[in-house]
Every structure is written in C-alpha cells, then in structure tokens.
Amino acid sequence: QESPHTPWPRLAMASLMEMLNRPQESEAMYRVVLSMEPANPWALNNLAYLLAIQRRDLGEAMQLIQKPLAMIGPIPSFLDTRALVYLAAKKPEAAIADLERALETSKDPVIYFHLAQAYLQSHREKDAREALARAREAGFEEASLYQLERRSYDRLVVDLK
C-alpha cells in the first residue's frame, strides 16, 4: 500500500504522464510531490525541464533548477535542464557552457542533441552539425525524446540541412 506521506509513487506517476505526453497532469503531480517534499531534487529538476521544453514560466523554471544544483552540485542532468531553461530564454551561450560542462562527465546523447540546439541558436551551424553527429554516434534516437521535444528535433534537422 502506498503511504500518503511518501512522494516517490507520485514522482513515478509524474514521469509516466510526461512520457504519455500529458504535460498538465505531469506538472500537477510534480507540484504535489514538491508540496510534500519541497527539496526533492528530482521533482525540482523534472518540473523545471517540463516548463523549459514548453517555453513557459522560465523564471520559475530557473528558480526550480537552481535548488538541486545548490544542494547536490552540477551533475549532468541538472546542468542539462538548466541549459534548456537558458535555451528557452534565448541565452545560448549560457546553455552551451552548461552543456559542455555536463559532457565532461557524461556522454548522454540527449545532452549532445541539446548542445546542437544551443550551437544553432548561437548561429554556430558547423558546431551544431558536429554535436548532432556526436549525439547520433552516442546512440541518440528521436524516440528517446519526450513528445514535446520531438518538434525541436525535427526543426533542428531541417535547419541544419
């Protein structure tokens, strides 16, 4: 039986809603988790990510992602999320710095994809093509992206042709 005081089942449900392309339900569940455990780093990160990929409430998204970065430190997934907030806010240089730092300790293909987006936003098409090629070499697949991000991938591919 699920305890009414543990956030983990709700966190799992929020992630599932995200995968099912139900962002409103996912957001609501992350907010429930944060009402139960305001310093939950995964809920903070995931809600910031969700807001960033929808390009809304970017001030809140930045506040959310700064908390786990301060609590735990600059782990790649948190840097990647903050980079997405920067990208949504049209600050590609800050995004590039975070993504390059994340790639020092992770070779996550999705981070390379986000780096390609940041390079393109910074008008560095050659670097964007190279980052996308590295993403593919590292095993990147469009299907690994949440539905909300797939349009960004499609735009990136078209823009780099």
Side-chain angles (χ1 to χ4, degrees), residues 2-3 5 15 18 32-33 39 47 54 62-63 94-95 105 110-111 116 138 140:
E2 174 186 331
S3 166
H5 304 292
S15 293
E18 212 171 312
V32 168
V33 170
L47 181 54
Q54 294 178 87
M62 184 58 76
Q63 288 177 340
T105 57
V110 174
I111 297 175
F140 176 80

Side-chain angles (χ1 to χ4, degrees), residues 3 5 11 16 29 39 45-46 74 81 87 105 114 124 126 130 145 147:
S3 166
H5 304 292
L11 190 61
L16 177 61
M29 195 60 63
N45 177 72
N46 294 359
T81 296
L87 276 175
T105 57
H114 293 152
R124 295 168 58 182
K126 182 177 183 260
E130 288 175 13
L145 296 174
Q147 192 68 31

Side-chain angles (χ1 to χ4, degrees), residues 36-88:
M36 298 171 72
E37 192 176 301
N40 183 298
W42 308 114
L44 290 162
N45 177 72
N46 294 359
L47 181 54
Y49 164 84
L50 191 60
L51 294 173
I53 62 173
Q54 294 178 87
R55 291 176 167 69
R56 63 182 193 81
D57 301 325
L58 299 179
E60 179 188 8
M62 184 58 76
Q63 288 177 340
L64 291 166
I65 191 55
Q66 294 292 42
K67 292 175 185 176
L69 280 163
M71 288 185 299
I72 297 173
I75 66 171
S77 60
F78 297 164
L79 291 169
D80 182 51
T81 296
R82 186 169 67 181
L84 288 177
V85 176
Y86 284 135
L87 276 175

Side-chain angles (χ1 to χ4, degrees), residues 62 79-103 111 114-119 121-122 124:
M62 184 58 76
L79 291 169
D80 182 51
T81 296
R82 186 169 67 181
L84 288 177
V85 176
Y86 284 135
L87 276 175
K90 305 291 187 213
K91 297 179 180 178
E93 296 307 321
I96 290 167
D98 273 354
L99 294 164
E100 288 178 344
R101 186 171 181 195
L103 288 167
I111 297 175
H114 293 152
L115 183 60
Q117 290 179 294
Y119 282 143
Q121 195 178 99
S122 190
R124 295 168 58 182

